[in-house]
Short mmCIF file of all heavy atoms in Angstrom, two decimals:
data_model
loop_
_atom_site.label_atom_id
_atom_site.label_comp_id
_atom_site.label_asym_id
_atom_site.label_seq_id
_atom_site.Cartn_x
_atom_site.Cartn_y
_atom_site.Cartn_z
N MET A 1429 -1.64 7.57 -30.02
CA MET A 1429 -2.51 7.94 -28.92
C MET A 1429 -2.20 7.04 -27.73
O MET A 1429 -2.74 5.95 -27.59
CB MET A 1429 -3.97 7.80 -29.33
CG MET A 1429 -4.37 8.83 -30.39
SD MET A 1429 -6.01 8.67 -31.09
CE MET A 1429 -7.00 8.20 -29.76
N ALA A 1430 -1.30 7.49 -26.90
CA ALA A 1430 -0.91 6.72 -25.72
C ALA A 1430 -1.90 6.99 -24.59
O ALA A 1430 -2.25 8.12 -24.31
CB ALA A 1430 0.49 7.10 -25.28
N THR A 1431 -2.36 5.93 -23.97
CA THR A 1431 -3.27 6.09 -22.83
C THR A 1431 -2.45 6.18 -21.55
O THR A 1431 -1.44 5.50 -21.40
CB THR A 1431 -4.24 4.90 -22.73
OG1 THR A 1431 -3.48 3.71 -22.57
CG2 THR A 1431 -5.12 4.80 -23.96
N GLN A 1432 -2.90 7.04 -20.67
CA GLN A 1432 -2.18 7.23 -19.41
C GLN A 1432 -2.53 6.09 -18.45
O GLN A 1432 -3.70 5.75 -18.28
CB GLN A 1432 -2.56 8.56 -18.79
CG GLN A 1432 -1.83 8.87 -17.50
CD GLN A 1432 -2.24 10.21 -16.92
OE1 GLN A 1432 -3.12 10.86 -17.45
NE2 GLN A 1432 -1.62 10.58 -15.83
N GLU A 1433 -1.50 5.51 -17.86
CA GLU A 1433 -1.71 4.43 -16.90
C GLU A 1433 -2.31 4.99 -15.62
O GLU A 1433 -1.87 6.02 -15.12
CB GLU A 1433 -0.38 3.74 -16.57
CG GLU A 1433 0.19 2.95 -17.71
CD GLU A 1433 -0.64 1.73 -18.05
OE1 GLU A 1433 -1.19 1.09 -17.14
OE2 GLU A 1433 -0.74 1.43 -19.25
N GLN A 1434 -3.31 4.32 -15.08
CA GLN A 1434 -3.91 4.73 -13.82
C GLN A 1434 -3.00 4.31 -12.68
O GLN A 1434 -2.54 3.16 -12.64
CB GLN A 1434 -5.29 4.09 -13.66
CG GLN A 1434 -6.29 4.54 -14.69
CD GLN A 1434 -6.64 6.02 -14.55
OE1 GLN A 1434 -6.57 6.57 -13.46
NE2 GLN A 1434 -7.01 6.64 -15.65
N THR A 1435 -2.75 5.23 -11.77
CA THR A 1435 -1.90 4.91 -10.63
C THR A 1435 -2.63 5.27 -9.35
O THR A 1435 -3.59 6.05 -9.36
CB THR A 1435 -0.56 5.67 -10.67
OG1 THR A 1435 -0.83 7.07 -10.65
CG2 THR A 1435 0.25 5.30 -11.90
N VAL A 1436 -2.15 4.71 -8.25
CA VAL A 1436 -2.69 5.01 -6.93
C VAL A 1436 -1.50 5.20 -5.99
O VAL A 1436 -0.52 4.46 -6.06
CB VAL A 1436 -3.64 3.88 -6.45
CG1 VAL A 1436 -2.94 2.55 -6.35
CG2 VAL A 1436 -4.29 4.24 -5.14
N LYS A 1437 -1.58 6.23 -5.15
CA LYS A 1437 -0.52 6.49 -4.17
C LYS A 1437 -0.98 5.98 -2.82
O LYS A 1437 -2.11 6.24 -2.41
CB LYS A 1437 -0.21 7.98 -4.08
CG LYS A 1437 0.59 8.52 -5.22
CD LYS A 1437 0.99 9.95 -4.97
CE LYS A 1437 1.83 10.48 -6.12
NZ LYS A 1437 2.25 11.86 -5.86
N VAL A 1438 -0.10 5.26 -2.13
CA VAL A 1438 -0.42 4.67 -0.84
C VAL A 1438 0.63 5.14 0.17
O VAL A 1438 1.82 5.12 -0.13
CB VAL A 1438 -0.42 3.13 -0.91
CG1 VAL A 1438 -0.82 2.52 0.40
CG2 VAL A 1438 -1.33 2.65 -2.02
N GLN A 1439 0.17 5.55 1.35
CA GLN A 1439 1.07 6.02 2.41
C GLN A 1439 0.88 5.14 3.64
O GLN A 1439 -0.25 4.88 4.06
CB GLN A 1439 0.78 7.48 2.75
CG GLN A 1439 1.69 8.03 3.83
CD GLN A 1439 1.39 9.49 4.13
OE1 GLN A 1439 0.34 10.01 3.78
NE2 GLN A 1439 2.33 10.15 4.79
N LEU A 1440 1.99 4.69 4.24
CA LEU A 1440 1.96 3.90 5.46
C LEU A 1440 1.79 4.85 6.65
O LEU A 1440 2.66 5.67 6.91
CB LEU A 1440 3.24 3.09 5.60
CG LEU A 1440 3.32 2.11 6.77
CD1 LEU A 1440 2.25 1.03 6.64
CD2 LEU A 1440 4.69 1.49 6.86
N VAL A 1441 0.67 4.75 7.36
CA VAL A 1441 0.38 5.69 8.45
C VAL A 1441 0.40 5.02 9.83
O VAL A 1441 0.41 5.72 10.84
CB VAL A 1441 -0.97 6.41 8.24
CG1 VAL A 1441 -0.90 7.31 7.03
CG2 VAL A 1441 -2.11 5.43 8.13
N ARG A 1442 0.39 3.68 9.88
CA ARG A 1442 0.50 2.99 11.15
C ARG A 1442 1.57 1.92 11.04
O ARG A 1442 1.79 1.34 9.98
CB ARG A 1442 -0.82 2.32 11.54
CG ARG A 1442 -1.89 3.31 11.96
CD ARG A 1442 -3.09 2.63 12.55
NE ARG A 1442 -2.70 1.82 13.71
CZ ARG A 1442 -3.52 0.95 14.30
NH1 ARG A 1442 -4.75 0.77 13.85
NH2 ARG A 1442 -3.12 0.26 15.34
N SER A 1443 2.22 1.63 12.15
CA SER A 1443 3.30 0.66 12.16
C SER A 1443 2.76 -0.76 12.01
O SER A 1443 1.77 -1.12 12.66
CB SER A 1443 4.09 0.78 13.46
OG SER A 1443 5.04 -0.26 13.54
N PRO A 1444 3.41 -1.59 11.19
CA PRO A 1444 2.99 -2.98 11.06
C PRO A 1444 3.50 -3.88 12.19
O PRO A 1444 3.23 -5.07 12.20
CB PRO A 1444 3.58 -3.40 9.72
CG PRO A 1444 4.74 -2.51 9.52
CD PRO A 1444 4.41 -1.22 10.20
N ILE A 1445 4.22 -3.30 13.16
CA ILE A 1445 4.69 -4.09 14.30
C ILE A 1445 3.49 -4.62 15.07
O ILE A 1445 2.56 -3.88 15.37
CB ILE A 1445 5.59 -3.24 15.22
CG1 ILE A 1445 6.86 -2.84 14.49
CG2 ILE A 1445 5.92 -3.99 16.51
CD1 ILE A 1445 7.72 -1.86 15.26
N GLY A 1446 3.50 -5.89 15.38
CA GLY A 1446 2.42 -6.49 16.14
C GLY A 1446 1.27 -6.99 15.29
O GLY A 1446 0.28 -7.49 15.82
N THR A 1447 1.39 -6.85 13.96
CA THR A 1447 0.34 -7.35 13.07
C THR A 1447 0.70 -8.75 12.58
O THR A 1447 1.80 -9.25 12.84
CB THR A 1447 0.15 -6.41 11.87
OG1 THR A 1447 1.37 -6.35 11.13
CG2 THR A 1447 -0.24 -5.01 12.32
N LYS A 1448 -0.22 -9.37 11.86
CA LYS A 1448 0.04 -10.70 11.32
C LYS A 1448 1.20 -10.65 10.33
O LYS A 1448 1.43 -9.64 9.66
CB LYS A 1448 -1.20 -11.21 10.58
CG LYS A 1448 -2.37 -11.51 11.46
CD LYS A 1448 -3.50 -12.05 10.60
CE LYS A 1448 -4.69 -12.43 11.45
NZ LYS A 1448 -5.77 -12.96 10.62
N GLU A 1449 1.90 -11.75 10.23
CA GLU A 1449 3.04 -11.85 9.32
C GLU A 1449 2.60 -11.60 7.88
O GLU A 1449 3.31 -10.94 7.11
CB GLU A 1449 3.69 -13.23 9.43
CG GLU A 1449 4.90 -13.42 8.53
CD GLU A 1449 6.03 -12.46 8.81
OE1 GLU A 1449 6.29 -12.15 9.99
OE2 GLU A 1449 6.67 -12.00 7.84
N SER A 1450 1.43 -12.10 7.50
CA SER A 1450 0.96 -11.89 6.12
C SER A 1450 0.67 -10.41 5.86
O SER A 1450 0.86 -9.93 4.74
CB SER A 1450 -0.29 -12.72 5.85
OG SER A 1450 -1.35 -12.32 6.69
N HIS A 1451 0.23 -9.67 6.88
CA HIS A 1451 -0.02 -8.24 6.70
C HIS A 1451 1.30 -7.48 6.56
O HIS A 1451 1.39 -6.55 5.75
CB HIS A 1451 -0.83 -7.69 7.88
CG HIS A 1451 -2.25 -8.19 7.88
ND1 HIS A 1451 -3.26 -7.54 8.52
CD2 HIS A 1451 -2.83 -9.29 7.33
CE1 HIS A 1451 -4.40 -8.19 8.36
NE2 HIS A 1451 -4.14 -9.27 7.65
N ARG A 1452 2.31 -7.89 7.32
CA ARG A 1452 3.63 -7.26 7.18
C ARG A 1452 4.20 -7.53 5.79
O ARG A 1452 4.81 -6.65 5.17
CB ARG A 1452 4.59 -7.76 8.26
CG ARG A 1452 4.24 -7.26 9.65
CD ARG A 1452 5.35 -7.48 10.63
NE ARG A 1452 5.67 -8.86 10.88
CZ ARG A 1452 5.13 -9.62 11.84
NH1 ARG A 1452 4.24 -9.10 12.66
NH2 ARG A 1452 5.49 -10.87 11.99
N ALA A 1453 3.98 -8.73 5.28
CA ALA A 1453 4.47 -9.08 3.95
C ALA A 1453 3.73 -8.26 2.88
O ALA A 1453 4.33 -7.86 1.88
CB ALA A 1453 4.28 -10.58 3.69
N THR A 1454 2.46 -8.00 3.11
CA THR A 1454 1.69 -7.19 2.17
C THR A 1454 2.19 -5.76 2.14
O THR A 1454 2.30 -5.14 1.08
CB THR A 1454 0.19 -7.22 2.54
OG1 THR A 1454 -0.25 -8.58 2.56
CG2 THR A 1454 -0.63 -6.43 1.56
N VAL A 1455 2.53 -5.21 3.32
CA VAL A 1455 3.11 -3.86 3.39
C VAL A 1455 4.38 -3.80 2.58
O VAL A 1455 4.59 -2.88 1.78
CB VAL A 1455 3.36 -3.45 4.86
CG1 VAL A 1455 4.19 -2.18 4.93
CG2 VAL A 1455 2.05 -3.26 5.60
N ARG A 1456 5.25 -4.79 2.74
CA ARG A 1456 6.51 -4.81 1.99
C ARG A 1456 6.24 -5.02 0.50
O ARG A 1456 6.94 -4.47 -0.35
CB ARG A 1456 7.43 -5.94 2.50
CG ARG A 1456 7.89 -5.75 3.93
CD ARG A 1456 8.86 -4.56 4.08
NE ARG A 1456 10.06 -4.81 3.31
CZ ARG A 1456 10.52 -3.98 2.37
NH1 ARG A 1456 9.92 -2.87 2.08
NH2 ARG A 1456 11.62 -4.29 1.71
N GLY A 1457 5.22 -5.82 0.18
CA GLY A 1457 4.88 -6.06 -1.22
C GLY A 1457 4.40 -4.80 -1.93
O GLY A 1457 4.56 -4.67 -3.15
N LEU A 1458 3.83 -3.88 -1.18
CA LEU A 1458 3.40 -2.60 -1.75
C LEU A 1458 4.56 -1.61 -1.85
O LEU A 1458 4.37 -0.50 -2.35
CB LEU A 1458 2.27 -2.00 -0.91
CG LEU A 1458 0.93 -2.70 -1.00
CD1 LEU A 1458 -0.05 -2.11 0.00
CD2 LEU A 1458 0.36 -2.62 -2.41
N GLY A 1459 5.73 -1.99 -1.36
CA GLY A 1459 6.90 -1.13 -1.46
C GLY A 1459 7.00 -0.11 -0.35
O GLY A 1459 7.69 0.89 -0.50
N LEU A 1460 6.33 -0.36 0.77
CA LEU A 1460 6.36 0.57 1.89
C LEU A 1460 7.34 0.07 2.94
O LEU A 1460 7.35 -1.11 3.28
CB LEU A 1460 4.95 0.69 2.51
CG LEU A 1460 3.88 1.18 1.53
CD1 LEU A 1460 2.50 1.03 2.15
CD2 LEU A 1460 4.13 2.61 1.14
N ARG A 1461 8.17 0.99 3.45
CA ARG A 1461 9.17 0.62 4.44
C ARG A 1461 8.93 1.32 5.76
O ARG A 1461 8.51 0.70 6.73
CB ARG A 1461 10.57 0.94 3.94
CG ARG A 1461 11.00 0.05 2.78
CD ARG A 1461 12.39 0.44 2.31
NE ARG A 1461 12.84 -0.44 1.24
CZ ARG A 1461 13.70 -1.42 1.44
NH1 ARG A 1461 14.21 -1.66 2.61
NH2 ARG A 1461 14.07 -2.17 0.41
N LYS A 1462 9.19 2.61 5.81
CA LYS A 1462 9.07 3.36 7.05
C LYS A 1462 7.72 4.05 7.14
O LYS A 1462 7.00 4.15 6.15
CB LYS A 1462 10.17 4.43 7.12
CG LYS A 1462 11.57 3.87 7.12
CD LYS A 1462 12.58 4.99 7.17
CE LYS A 1462 13.99 4.42 7.21
NZ LYS A 1462 14.99 5.49 7.30
N LEU A 1463 7.38 4.51 8.34
CA LEU A 1463 6.15 5.27 8.51
C LEU A 1463 6.17 6.50 7.61
O LEU A 1463 7.21 7.12 7.40
CB LEU A 1463 5.99 5.72 9.96
CG LEU A 1463 5.50 4.65 10.94
CD1 LEU A 1463 5.36 5.24 12.32
CD2 LEU A 1463 4.20 4.06 10.49
N ASN A 1464 5.02 6.83 7.09
CA ASN A 1464 4.81 7.97 6.19
C ASN A 1464 5.49 7.82 4.83
O ASN A 1464 5.51 8.77 4.06
CB ASN A 1464 5.23 9.30 6.84
CG ASN A 1464 4.40 9.60 8.06
OD1 ASN A 1464 3.19 9.41 8.05
ND2 ASN A 1464 5.02 10.05 9.13
N SER A 1465 6.04 6.64 4.52
CA SER A 1465 6.59 6.43 3.19
C SER A 1465 5.43 6.29 2.20
O SER A 1465 4.36 5.78 2.53
CB SER A 1465 7.49 5.20 3.15
OG SER A 1465 6.76 4.03 3.44
N VAL A 1466 5.67 6.77 0.98
CA VAL A 1466 4.63 6.78 -0.05
C VAL A 1466 5.11 5.94 -1.22
O VAL A 1466 6.28 6.01 -1.61
CB VAL A 1466 4.33 8.22 -0.52
CG1 VAL A 1466 3.31 8.21 -1.64
CG2 VAL A 1466 3.82 9.05 0.65
N SER A 1467 4.20 5.15 -1.77
CA SER A 1467 4.51 4.33 -2.93
C SER A 1467 3.44 4.58 -3.99
O SER A 1467 2.25 4.61 -3.68
CB SER A 1467 4.54 2.85 -2.54
OG SER A 1467 4.90 2.05 -3.62
N GLU A 1468 3.87 4.76 -5.24
CA GLU A 1468 2.93 4.96 -6.34
C GLU A 1468 2.89 3.68 -7.16
O GLU A 1468 3.92 3.24 -7.69
CB GLU A 1468 3.35 6.16 -7.20
CG GLU A 1468 2.32 6.52 -8.23
CD GLU A 1468 2.61 7.85 -8.89
OE1 GLU A 1468 3.56 8.54 -8.49
OE2 GLU A 1468 1.87 8.19 -9.82
N LEU A 1469 1.71 3.09 -7.27
CA LEU A 1469 1.56 1.79 -7.90
C LEU A 1469 0.50 1.85 -8.99
O LEU A 1469 -0.35 2.74 -8.99
CB LEU A 1469 1.14 0.75 -6.85
CG LEU A 1469 2.03 0.66 -5.62
CD1 LEU A 1469 1.26 0.09 -4.46
CD2 LEU A 1469 3.24 -0.18 -5.93
N GLN A 1470 0.55 0.89 -9.91
CA GLN A 1470 -0.49 0.79 -10.92
C GLN A 1470 -1.80 0.37 -10.25
O GLN A 1470 -1.80 -0.43 -9.32
CB GLN A 1470 -0.12 -0.24 -11.98
CG GLN A 1470 0.99 0.20 -12.89
CD GLN A 1470 1.23 -0.78 -14.01
OE1 GLN A 1470 0.63 -1.86 -14.04
NE2 GLN A 1470 2.12 -0.43 -14.91
N ASP A 1471 -2.89 0.93 -10.72
CA ASP A 1471 -4.20 0.66 -10.14
C ASP A 1471 -4.77 -0.61 -10.77
O ASP A 1471 -5.49 -0.56 -11.75
CB ASP A 1471 -5.12 1.86 -10.36
CG ASP A 1471 -6.38 1.75 -9.53
OD1 ASP A 1471 -6.49 0.84 -8.71
OD2 ASP A 1471 -7.27 2.62 -9.71
N THR A 1472 -4.43 -1.75 -10.18
CA THR A 1472 -4.92 -3.04 -10.66
C THR A 1472 -5.76 -3.69 -9.56
O THR A 1472 -5.66 -3.31 -8.39
CB THR A 1472 -3.75 -3.97 -11.00
OG1 THR A 1472 -3.00 -4.22 -9.81
CG2 THR A 1472 -2.84 -3.35 -12.06
N PRO A 1473 -6.57 -4.67 -9.91
CA PRO A 1473 -7.36 -5.36 -8.88
C PRO A 1473 -6.50 -6.02 -7.81
O PRO A 1473 -6.88 -6.06 -6.64
CB PRO A 1473 -8.14 -6.42 -9.68
CG PRO A 1473 -8.25 -5.84 -11.05
CD PRO A 1473 -6.97 -5.07 -11.26
N ALA A 1474 -5.32 -6.51 -8.18
CA ALA A 1474 -4.43 -7.14 -7.21
C ALA A 1474 -3.93 -6.13 -6.19
O ALA A 1474 -3.92 -6.39 -4.98
CB ALA A 1474 -3.24 -7.79 -7.93
N VAL A 1475 -3.53 -4.95 -6.65
CA VAL A 1475 -3.05 -3.90 -5.76
C VAL A 1475 -4.20 -3.41 -4.88
O VAL A 1475 -4.03 -3.18 -3.68
CB VAL A 1475 -2.41 -2.75 -6.56
CG1 VAL A 1475 -2.14 -1.56 -5.67
CG2 VAL A 1475 -1.13 -3.22 -7.22
N ARG A 1476 -5.38 -3.26 -5.45
CA ARG A 1476 -6.54 -2.83 -4.67
C ARG A 1476 -6.85 -3.84 -3.57
O ARG A 1476 -7.22 -3.46 -2.45
CB ARG A 1476 -7.76 -2.66 -5.58
CG ARG A 1476 -7.73 -1.41 -6.40
CD ARG A 1476 -8.00 -0.21 -5.55
NE ARG A 1476 -7.86 1.02 -6.30
CZ ARG A 1476 -8.11 2.20 -5.80
NH1 ARG A 1476 -8.49 2.34 -4.55
NH2 ARG A 1476 -7.97 3.28 -6.54
N GLY A 1477 -6.72 -5.13 -3.87
CA GLY A 1477 -6.94 -6.15 -2.86
C GLY A 1477 -5.92 -6.09 -1.73
O GLY A 1477 -6.26 -6.27 -0.56
N MET A 1478 -4.66 -5.81 -2.09
CA MET A 1478 -3.63 -5.67 -1.07
C MET A 1478 -3.91 -4.47 -0.17
O MET A 1478 -3.76 -4.54 1.05
CB MET A 1478 -2.25 -5.54 -1.73
CG MET A 1478 -1.79 -6.78 -2.43
SD MET A 1478 -0.32 -6.52 -3.43
CE MET A 1478 0.93 -6.49 -2.17
N ILE A 1479 -4.32 -3.36 -0.78
CA ILE A 1479 -4.65 -2.17 -0.01
C ILE A 1479 -5.83 -2.45 0.91
O ILE A 1479 -5.84 -2.04 2.07
CB ILE A 1479 -4.94 -0.98 -0.95
CG1 ILE A 1479 -3.67 -0.57 -1.68
CG2 ILE A 1479 -5.53 0.20 -0.19
CD1 ILE A 1479 -3.89 0.43 -2.80
N ASN A 1480 -6.83 -3.15 0.42
CA ASN A 1480 -8.01 -3.48 1.22
C ASN A 1480 -7.64 -4.36 2.40
O ASN A 1480 -8.19 -4.20 3.50
CB ASN A 1480 -9.07 -4.16 0.35
CG ASN A 1480 -10.37 -4.33 1.06
OD1 ASN A 1480 -10.85 -3.40 1.72
ND2 ASN A 1480 -10.95 -5.50 0.96
N LYS A 1481 -6.69 -5.27 2.20
CA LYS A 1481 -6.27 -6.19 3.26
C LYS A 1481 -5.63 -5.46 4.44
O LYS A 1481 -5.84 -5.81 5.59
CB LYS A 1481 -5.29 -7.21 2.69
CG LYS A 1481 -4.80 -8.24 3.68
CD LYS A 1481 -3.90 -9.25 2.99
CE LYS A 1481 -3.41 -10.29 3.96
NZ LYS A 1481 -2.57 -11.30 3.28
N ILE A 1482 -4.86 -4.41 4.14
CA ILE A 1482 -4.17 -3.66 5.20
C ILE A 1482 -4.68 -2.23 5.28
O ILE A 1482 -3.94 -1.30 5.59
CB ILE A 1482 -2.63 -3.68 4.99
CG1 ILE A 1482 -2.27 -3.09 3.63
CG2 ILE A 1482 -2.08 -5.09 5.14
CD1 ILE A 1482 -0.80 -2.77 3.50
N SER A 1483 -5.97 -2.05 5.06
CA SER A 1483 -6.55 -0.71 5.02
C SER A 1483 -6.40 0.04 6.34
O SER A 1483 -6.38 1.26 6.37
CB SER A 1483 -8.03 -0.79 4.65
OG SER A 1483 -8.74 -1.55 5.61
N TYR A 1484 -6.26 -0.69 7.45
CA TYR A 1484 -6.10 -0.05 8.76
C TYR A 1484 -4.69 0.46 8.98
O TYR A 1484 -4.43 1.17 9.96
CB TYR A 1484 -6.49 -1.03 9.87
CG TYR A 1484 -5.61 -2.24 9.98
CD1 TYR A 1484 -4.62 -2.32 10.94
CD2 TYR A 1484 -5.77 -3.32 9.11
CE1 TYR A 1484 -3.80 -3.43 11.04
CE2 TYR A 1484 -4.98 -4.44 9.20
CZ TYR A 1484 -3.99 -4.49 10.18
OH TYR A 1484 -3.20 -5.60 10.26
N LEU A 1485 -3.75 0.15 8.07
CA LEU A 1485 -2.37 0.60 8.19
C LEU A 1485 -1.99 1.70 7.20
O LEU A 1485 -1.00 2.37 7.40
CB LEU A 1485 -1.40 -0.58 7.96
CG LEU A 1485 -1.43 -1.72 8.96
CD1 LEU A 1485 -0.51 -2.85 8.48
CD2 LEU A 1485 -1.04 -1.26 10.33
N VAL A 1486 -2.78 1.84 6.15
CA VAL A 1486 -2.40 2.74 5.06
C VAL A 1486 -3.47 3.78 4.77
O VAL A 1486 -4.61 3.65 5.21
CB VAL A 1486 -2.10 1.96 3.76
CG1 VAL A 1486 -0.93 1.03 3.92
CG2 VAL A 1486 -3.32 1.22 3.26
N LYS A 1487 -3.05 4.80 4.03
CA LYS A 1487 -3.97 5.84 3.55
C LYS A 1487 -3.75 5.97 2.06
O LYS A 1487 -2.59 6.02 1.60
CB LYS A 1487 -3.67 7.15 4.27
CG LYS A 1487 -4.53 8.32 3.80
CD LYS A 1487 -4.35 9.55 4.68
CE LYS A 1487 -2.95 10.13 4.57
NZ LYS A 1487 -2.80 11.42 5.26
N VAL A 1488 -4.83 6.02 1.29
CA VAL A 1488 -4.74 6.20 -0.15
C VAL A 1488 -4.79 7.68 -0.44
O VAL A 1488 -5.68 8.39 0.02
CB VAL A 1488 -5.88 5.47 -0.87
CG1 VAL A 1488 -5.81 5.71 -2.37
CG2 VAL A 1488 -5.84 3.98 -0.57
N LEU A 1489 -3.77 8.16 -1.16
CA LEU A 1489 -3.68 9.60 -1.48
C LEU A 1489 -4.29 9.89 -2.83
O LEU A 1489 -4.32 9.11 -3.71
CB LEU A 1489 -2.21 10.05 -1.44
CG LEU A 1489 -1.49 9.78 -0.13
CD1 LEU A 1489 -0.04 10.15 -0.27
CD2 LEU A 1489 -2.12 10.57 0.99
#
């Protein structure tokens, strides 16, 4: 009985240009590169915290 891993999809909807260096690093840490790029990640508290930190740049799908 394998349990399905919970995932969350994140899309970069605003440019990180002009933001704090730590916010740009968080965007890269989530695996996002260009605008409208989508990354599917495991739904962990660490990932949720990263999404919350840059919530003004991303959209959760």
Side-chain angles (χ1 to χ4, degrees):
M1429 292 174 38
T1431 59
Q1432 182 180 4
E1433 291 292 324
Q1434 296 293 332
T1435 60
V1436 60
K1437 285 187 179 182
V1438 183
Q1439 181 179 17
L1440 185 63
V1441 294
R1442 288 190 58 191
S1443 174
I1445 294 173
T1447 61
K1448 292 182 177 180
E1449 181 61 38
S1450 63
H1451 290 202
R1452 290 194 296 269
T1454 303
V1455 169
R1456 295 292 297 124
L1458 288 173
L1460 301 170
R1461 291 179 178 257
K1462 298 180 179 181
L1463 282 181
N1464 297 318
S1465 63
V1466 177
S1467 183
E1468 188 169 356
L1469 306 156
Q1470 289 186 354
D1471 192 6
T1472 63
V1475 170
R1476 284 287 175 176
M1478 292 170 77
I1479 293 170
N1480 189 45
K1481 181 177 181 178
I1482 58 166
S1483 61
Y1484 64 101
L1485 296 174
V1486 297
K1487 178 171 66 172
V1488 177
L1489 304 174

